[in-house]
Amino acid sequence: FGKATTLADDNVTTGKDVFGFKTPKKSGGMALKAAEEVNRTTPKSTRTTPNARLGGTPRSNSKQVTPNKFGTPGRKSANTTPKMTGSGRKRLEPATPMSAKKRVRKTLNQNSYNIERNRYSDSDQNSGDSESDDQKSDSEDEENVKPILKPPSTPSTPARKGRPVRIARSVNTNNIADSYFEAQHAKVITSNRTLSRQNTPRLSEDEVNKLLSKAGIRYEEEIAELIEDHKEQFIRWLSLVHRGYSVITYGLGSKKSLLQDFHKQHLSNCDVLVVNGYFPSLTIKSILDSISDDILDIEGSFSSTSEQIQAIHNTLEEDIYLIVHNIDGPMLRNAKAQTCLSDLASHNRVKLLCSIDHVNAPLIWDQYKLAKFNFIWYDCTTFLAYREEAAGSDAMMKASGGLQLASIQHVLEALTPGAKKIFLMLANYQIEHDEPSYPGIPFMELYTQCRADFLVTSDLELKAQLTEFRDHKLITSKRGSDGVEYLIIPIDKPTLSSFLDNFQGV
């Protein structure tokens, strides 16, 4: 190999000169640069006086301008324009000072750092402190920095200093759903502390009446005087019912004796029907049958209660007085019974006098029924004991068919339509096969009838429904000698028949 002629040349410089940066060097370059800058920005005269050539006196509003040394611009407004110096040259001034730019840049960097550090902080809890911090920073900027053309955009709300960041709690929705269905699937445990398990035995109706008759009446003289005051309203009651109104009495105490006295004094020679609304086996059909059969002697059968009421209205020629004790009784609180009574009382020949004892009794009537009743209300407080009204309470007496009727009515109202049809099927079968040795309907026969009417799809579904009936004491079951399960409703035939007649239109 031959040696490189370029490097071997005598006039070749060193390697530093060959491979180094080509930076020109001038002696005194910085001094020349500074002198050039001073000559460019510094005017020849340090003071400019207006109208100097003319030698006039400067005006009072003229100001002296003293430039800064070494070309450092002073603080001026952001909208400053180039001005003429005394020598006629233009002097350029920057719009924003460099110190203000550095301060704004530092503020933005600090805000961005705070945003990254507190990204998951709760902004709602710290909004008040952030607003105060922003106001303080704005006031400091206004004091230190005078006009800024474009202020920085408002940063996100930083977190409060010294408070840890709260992380959102993770919720396991699968466990919540599983626990909900487990709670719904769990068997409802009811208490077995019933009245039948208590040591105090239930009393018969005769025993209850005997105990109530022994109880004396306190303030007997005051109560007798109060009742005499009420009897003075009898003439007014009679006048009101003849003018098309119905009289309703309310107040504390039994009002049955008061209405009976009105009946004896003023209605002894009239057609009167007395209805005991507190009786547990009372039905609206029995009331209508008493009017049509016993008073008006209407022959024939009726397909519905509305048809029977219309026949009674067409047959009426004389006044009929209808006295109802406890028109808000257990068997008269349903909409069907109140509708029939209001339709019956709307005729001008039907005179209605009634009483209520329940505190919420007015809630069973709407505006339509009240318009038909056309009540006039009288406060007839007597402070008498509810002996006859409370005699039908099954809380003190042994359960019988008549006393169970009201409870069955309330239980059936809470059942599904399919369950109601199953119970009615049981009741109809029991009435049709009423025999002294009637054991009940066999389970498989009931299942066959329910399957034919599409009430159940399997025997398990029917057993579940019968279990609900047993829990409410609606039916009882027993096994015969052949091992077949028999079902029976523990109510006598007359009471069960009246229940079916009352339940048909409900």
Side-chain angles (χ1 to χ4, degrees):
F1 297 98
K3 68 176 181 180
T5 56
T6 305
L7 294 178
D9 199 357
D10 295 337
N11 55 358
V12 173
T13 59
T14 61
K16 181 179 179 181
D17 297 333
V18 175
F19 300 101
F21 294 96
K22 301 297 183 178
T23 303
K25 295 183 179 180
K26 297 180 181 180
S27 66
M30 292 299 295
L32 294 175
K33 187 69 176 175
E36 183 182 354
E37 186 68 20
V38 169
N39 294 331
R40 186 174 67 84
T41 58
T42 304
K44 292 181 178 180
S45 60
T46 57
R47 180 172 296 182
T48 302
T49 303
N51 301 327
R53 295 182 180 181
L54 299 177
T57 304
R59 298 180 180 178
S60 59
N61 59 355
S62 62
K63 297 182 180 180
Q64 296 178 354
V65 180
T66 304
N68 296 327
K69 295 181 180 180
F70 303 105
T72 303
R75 295 183 180 178
K76 296 184 182 298
S77 61
N79 297 326
T80 56
T81 56
K83 295 184 178 181
M84 297 296 295
T85 61
S87 60
R89 295 181 181 179
K90 292 182 179 180
R91 184 176 62 188
L92 301 177
E93 295 183 359
T96 304
M98 185 58 65
S99 60
K101 291 182 178 180
K102 290 181 180 180
R103 195 160 36 251
V104 171
R105 189 181 299 109
K106 184 178 179 180
T107 303
L108 293 176
N109 293 336
Q110 184 66 25
N111 290 338
S112 61
Y113 172 74
N114 292 336
I115 291 170
E116 291 294 332
R117 187 183 63 180
N118 305 303
R119 178 175 298 176
Y120 300 102
S121 63
D122 190 2
S123 61
D124 293 339
Q125 296 181 356
N126 306 319
S127 59
D129 293 343
S130 63
E131 291 178 359
S132 63
D133 294 342
D134 292 341
Q135 291 177 359
K136 290 181 181 179
S137 60
D138 292 343
S139 62
E140 291 177 358
D141 292 343
E142 290 178 357
E143 292 177 0
N144 299 329
V145 183
K146 290 184 179 179
I148 298 176
L149 288 176
K150 295 182 179 180
S153 58
T154 304
S156 301
T157 305
R160 181 178 296 177
K161 296 180 180 179
R163 178 169 294 184
V165 179
R166 294 194 306 175
I167 302 175
R169 184 180 61 180
S170 58
V171 180
N172 192 349
T173 57
N174 295 328
N175 292 339
I176 295 178
D178 294 342
S179 61
Y180 170 78
F181 287 107
E182 288 178 1
Q184 296 296 326
H185 182 68
K187 184 179 179 180
V188 179
I189 300 175
T190 57
S191 175
N192 58 356
R193 301 175 64 89
T194 58
L195 188 61
S196 59
R197 290 179 176 266
Q198 302 301 318
N199 296 327
T200 304
R202 287 192 172 185
L203 305 176
S204 63
E205 186 175 357
D206 295 336
E207 293 174 345
V208 172
N209 292 333
K210 187 182 297 184
L211 292 175
L212 291 176
S213 61
K214 293 180 180 180
I217 301 177
R218 300 180 62 183
Y219 308 105
E220 186 174 358
E221 296 180 0
E222 291 79 359
I223 292 176
E225 183 180 355
L226 183 62
I227 292 176
E228 291 297 329
D229 294 339
H230 293 322
K231 289 182 179 180
E232 294 180 359
Q233 305 289 336
F234 285 172
I235 301 298
R236 185 174 297 178
W237 292 3
L238 189 62
S239 175
L240 288 173
V241 295
H242 281 285
R243 294 179 183 179
Y245 296 99
S246 299
V247 175
I248 182 170
T249 59
Y250 66 95
L252 184 62
S254 176
K255 292 163 283 294
K256 183 177 180 180
S257 60
L258 187 65
L259 293 177
Q260 287 178 347
D261 293 340
F262 176 78
H263 179 200
K264 293 178 182 179
Q265 293 182 14
H266 300 281
L267 305 177
S268 57
N269 298 326
C270 303
D271 294 332
V272 182
L273 177 64
V274 180
V275 179
N276 296 322
Y278 53 83
F279 194 64
S281 60
L282 177 68
T283 60
I284 191 64
K285 191 174 187 303
S286 62
I287 298 175
L288 298 178
D289 290 341
S290 298
I291 297 176
S292 59
D293 299 340
D294 300 339
I295 298 177
L296 300 179
D297 296 330
I298 301 176
E299 297 180 357
S301 59
F302 307 97
S303 59
S304 61
T305 56
S306 59
E307 182 180 353
Q308 189 173 3
I309 293 173
Q310 187 63 36
I312 292 174
H313 287 174
N314 296 334
T315 312
L316 282 175
E317 295 180 356
E318 297 181 357
D319 294 340
I320 294 180
Y321 294 89
L322 184 62
I323 299 177
V324 183
H325 301 290
N326 291 100
I327 197 173
D328 58 338
M331 303 306 297
L332 297 179
R333 293 175 185 173
N334 56 78
K336 177 186 176 183
Q338 294 298 325
T339 301
C340 294
L341 290 176
S342 62
D343 292 340
L344 192 63
S346 62
H347 198 275
N348 56 359
R349 290 289 185 182
V350 179
K351 315 300 181 182
L352 176 64
L353 295 96
C354 59
S355 65
I356 58 173
D357 289 307
H358 199 282
V359 65
N360 294 325
L363 298 179
I364 63 178
W365 301 306
D366 54 12
Q367 296 295 331
Y368 181 72
K369 295 184 181 66
L370 288 175
K372 287 188 174 183
F373 277 123
N374 201 12
F375 282 135
I376 298 294
W377 298 73
Y378 276 92
D379 184 4
C380 297
T381 301
T382 60
F383 297 106
L384 295 176
Y386 295 97
R387 293 183 178 179
E388 297 186 19
E389 292 86 343
S393 176
D394 57 351
M396 297 183 297
M397 296 185 299
K398 296 179 180 178
S400 62
L403 297 176
Q404 285 183 347
L405 198 57
S407 61
I408 291 176
Q409 179 75 25
H410 290 297
V411 171
L412 287 182
E413 290 177 356
L415 296 178
T416 60
K420 292 179 182 178
K421 292 180 180 179
I422 293 175
F423 185 80
L424 292 178
M425 188 178 296
L426 279 168
N428 291 324
Y429 186 89
Q430 184 168 331
I431 291 176
E432 293 173 0
H433 299 79
D434 185 23
E435 299 173 359
S437 61
Y438 172 71
I441 180 173
F443 173 78
M444 291 307 299
E445 185 174 352
L446 177 63
Y447 171 69
T448 304
Q449 294 183 8
C450 294
R451 184 73 180 269
D453 293 343
F454 301 99
L455 297 177
V456 295
T457 57
S458 63
D459 57 345
L460 296 177
E461 186 177 354
L462 179 59
K463 288 180 179 179
Q465 190 60 60
L466 294 177
T467 302
E468 186 175 1
F469 290 162
R470 291 191 189 95
D471 294 340
H472 293 288
K473 302 297 191 302
L474 296 181
I475 63 171
T476 58
S477 62
K478 62 180 180 179
R479 290 192 176 275
S481 58
D482 53 353
V484 179
E485 183 180 6
Y486 292 94
L487 307 170
I488 188 172
I489 301 175
I491 301 177
D492 56 320
K493 181 179 179 181
T495 306
L496 191 59
S497 300
S498 62
F499 165 74
L500 290 177
D501 295 339
N502 186 39
F503 193 77
Q504 293 297 328
V506 178

